[in-house]
Amino acid sequence: MVRRDVTQRRDEIIALLSENGSLSAADLSAQLSVSVQTIRTDLRNLDEAGFVQRRNGRVQLRQQGENIGYLPREGISRQEKQRIALAVKTLIPDRARMALGTGTTVETCARFLASHKDLFVASNSIHAVCALQHAPGVVVELAGGAVRMRDLDMIGASALEFFDKYCVDYAVFSCGGLSKSGRVMDYNSDEVTARKAIAKSARKSILVLDSTKSGLELACQTGHVWDYDIVVTGAVLPEPVLQNCARHDCVVIQV
């Protein structure tokens, strides 16, 4: 049997379900080289956290109209998010003007960027602002409006008005999912509005997404992944999507 820590193993379970749709505990046991009993314990915990649903001896990722809570999301794909954040850190110099969106991947990027000097940051995420608290010389502008308490962020019309005031060098933001055809997906129209406003405020747009977002079909969609300048991800994107990215001068950085 292969030794893994619990977080890594559960990340691998989610990645396998993202790739294959639904699997049995025996399928996952064979692919991950761990006991069926261990897999069942992992699946029970993932089910309780809202990541998967079990039915008729098989398990699949939970499809829902709203993302799960912020805290459970922080523990998923943590190492991948750190690799994404390290790549973003190398793209952005000291004294850059930035816009930061919402979500756990963007918060991880903000934490890595906290070693940069004299950044200007506009954000609609309280988590991202807190991650930058000790960055030397940082200046932060935070969006106003109603706070979405589950995620401690501001989305929708307030985000649109906020980001419309700025012209920054880089925007770093995520999305709810990415379809197999390369469509960028979100859970609701307010998140779509916020993402479009953030991207529009910057000279260079950077979309960050971990592999659990790949192939995830959600209720709202707008635009394609190749509409952005840079995509940083741990996912292996389908070849037609990569070809379209190259055709539209969208740089894909796989970590």
Side-chain angles (χ1 to χ4, degrees):
M1 296 291 181
V2 177
R3 284 191 173 273
R4 299 175 177 83
D5 66 36
V6 174
T7 299
Q8 180 184 358
R9 190 173 62 245
R10 292 176 187 172
D11 284 352
E12 291 174 349
I13 289 172
I14 289 174
L16 285 170
L17 294 175
S18 178
E19 293 170 7
N20 296 280
S22 69
L23 294 168
S24 68
D27 294 332
L28 291 165
S29 171
Q31 294 202 47
L32 297 178
S33 299
V34 296
S35 70
V36 172
Q37 182 179 0
T38 296
I39 290 294
R40 285 175 177 158
T41 299
D42 289 335
L43 293 178
R44 182 172 61 252
N45 291 331
L46 287 169
D47 191 2
E48 291 173 354
F51 288 105
V52 304
Q53 54 188 9
R54 297 177 291 171
R55 183 177 299 172
N56 300 325
R58 299 183 72 81
V59 62
Q60 64 185 31
L61 293 179
R62 188 178 296 275
Q63 299 295 318
Q64 51 194 24
E66 187 175 1
N67 206 351
I68 61 173
Y70 198 93
L71 187 59
R73 298 204 314 268
E74 284 188 311
I76 294 298
S77 303
R78 182 172 293 164
Q79 292 180 351
E80 181 186 353
K81 290 172 184 175
Q82 290 173 350
R83 295 195 301 272
I84 290 170
L86 182 59
V88 169
K89 178 181 177 179
T90 64
L91 293 171
I92 296 173
D94 289 340
R95 292 174 289 281
R97 295 177 299 176
M98 299 181 57
L100 292 178
T102 65
T104 58
T105 306
V106 175
E107 180 191 356
T108 306
C109 291
R111 194 173 299 116
F112 275 58
L113 287 164
S115 62
H116 279 24
K117 298 177 182 178
D118 302 324
L119 294 175
F120 172 86
V121 178
S123 182
N124 60 333
S125 168
I126 295 173
H127 287 288
V129 170
C130 291
L132 290 164
Q133 181 178 6
H134 301 294
V138 68
V139 175
V140 176
E141 294 282 344
L142 178 63
V147 177
R148 184 169 58 164
M149 296 304 294
R150 187 201 67 192
D151 286 7
L152 291 181
D153 59 19
M154 286 68 72
I155 59 175
S158 61
L160 178 62
E161 294 172 5
F162 172 73
F163 286 108
D164 193 48
K165 297 185 294 187
Y166 298 102
C167 179
V168 297
D169 304 311
Y170 303 91
V172 180
F173 50 89
S174 187
C175 61
L178 183 67
S179 76
K180 293 180 181 178
S181 64
R183 296 285 292 184
V184 179
M185 319 291 288
D186 282 295
Y187 287 90
N188 57 63
S189 58
D190 282 344
E191 290 174 332
V192 171
T193 298
R195 177 167 46 79
K196 290 173 69 175
I198 293 166
K200 185 180 176 183
S201 72
R203 293 188 175 92
K204 186 159 289 189
S205 55
I206 303 174
L207 177 66
V208 295
L209 64 154
D210 66 68
S211 55
T212 65
K213 307 286 183 70
S214 181
L216 189 58
E217 303 276 353
L218 300 174
C220 298
Q221 61 179 15
T222 178
H224 294 86
V225 66
W226 50 83
D227 295 333
Y228 305 113
D229 296 301
I230 301 172
V231 178
V232 186
T233 182
V236 178
L237 301 183
E239 188 59 33
V241 172
L242 291 174
Q243 290 173 359
N244 273 311
C245 287
R247 198 173 294 123
H248 289 83
D249 296 322
C250 169
V251 176
V252 177
I253 301 174
Q254 186 180 6
V255 299

